[in-house]
Amino acid sequence: AKLQDVFDGRCKRLIINVFPRSGKTELAIKMAMSYGLVLNPKARFIHLAGGDDLALENSEITRDYVKSEAFQAIFPHVQIKKDSDSKKKWYTTDNGGIYATSAGGQVTGFGAGITESMEDNDEDFLEAIQQSEKFGGAIIIDDPLKPEDAANEAAREKVHRRFISTIQNRTNSRNTPIILIM
């Protein structure tokens, strides 16, 4: 229900705290990004995880879901660009996509969500308003802190500084949600 609130625009910041092995990665990352692309193939996601391997694996599985015959039979409007087969960064034919890296990795050059553009032309302005009402993607952060660092104030402060100085600034719109899973 809380993820649906994010997709419907009622929630811009969501923290999911549940125990390990409860399916949070499957539901709140892989399935959520797939569903977000169904809602809007222009949606852009940044997925950050505690380690690069996990982020890339989640991105690859999400991409494989979207490319699967079953997914394509139901949602043929979501297509992946033919020359876009990287685990780290891939795009839909509508220029949506996913950028995945570790929580401490490089996140410049790609923004989450759809860019708000307000043109002087009335038709462009109305289209921008309609577009901003659609789900446009999110930043999804999975376990930015190792469990053994949870009690370490310096480690927590480092993650907090990174979030404030870099990660939250990677949104393309003030309406882009940020989901933290841990």
Side-chain angles (χ1 to χ4, degrees):
K2 293 300 179 190
L3 285 170
Q4 191 62 53
D5 286 346
V6 170
F7 295 127
D8 292 343
R10 291 187 298 269
C11 177
K12 300 295 181 223
R13 300 292 183 267
L14 177 63
I15 297 175
I16 301 172
N17 283 319
V18 291
F19 54 90
R21 312 304 317 153
S22 62
K24 62 188 181 290
T25 298
E26 187 66 33
L27 180 63
I29 297 172
K30 301 170 197 171
M31 293 293 182
M33 291 191 297
S34 300
Y35 181 63
L37 291 171
V38 167
L39 294 174
N40 185 356
K42 293 179 182 181
R44 287 181 161 227
F45 292 89
I46 293 177
H47 170 47
L48 305 172
D52 208 39
D53 289 344
L54 179 60
L56 296 177
E57 179 182 328
N58 291 338
S59 173
E60 178 181 36
I61 291 170
T62 303
R63 187 192 64 213
D64 290 348
Y65 287 165
V66 173
K67 289 171 75 174
S68 73
E69 283 184 38
F71 188 98
Q72 287 300 306
I74 300 168
F75 309 112
H77 68 283
V78 183
Q79 296 289 315
I80 296 176
K81 285 185 178 180
K82 300 256 186 269
D83 62 346
S84 185
D85 215 26
S86 167
K87 295 177 193 180
K88 189 171 197 76
K89 182 169 41 173
W90 52 272
Y91 294 97
T92 65
T93 54
D94 288 309
N95 218 22
I98 294 175
Y99 179 79
T101 190
S102 70
Q106 182 75 20
V107 291
T108 56
F110 191 95
I114 295 175
T115 305
E116 293 178 3
S117 60
M118 302 293 187
E119 302 286 334
D120 290 335
N121 181 320
D122 287 341
E123 287 181 33
D124 291 341
F125 177 75
L126 291 174
E127 186 177 324
I129 289 172
Q130 290 170 341
Q131 185 64 39
S132 69
E133 292 174 359
K134 279 178 130 177
F135 178 75
I139 294 177
I140 303 177
I141 308 165
D142 185 21
D143 288 330
L145 199 60
K146 296 180 207 162
E148 59 268 19
D149 288 339
N152 181 326
E153 188 174 342
R156 288 193 320 267
E157 182 57 30
K158 180 179 177 185
V159 169
H160 182 253
R161 275 193 317 272
R162 175 133 172 90
F163 178 81
I164 297 298
S165 67
T166 304
I167 295 170
Q168 74 175 359
N169 296 323
R170 301 308 329 157
T171 60
N172 286 331
S173 160
R174 66 185 178 275
N175 294 318
T176 303
I178 299 175
I179 301 168
L180 176 61
I181 304 159
M182 53 188 183

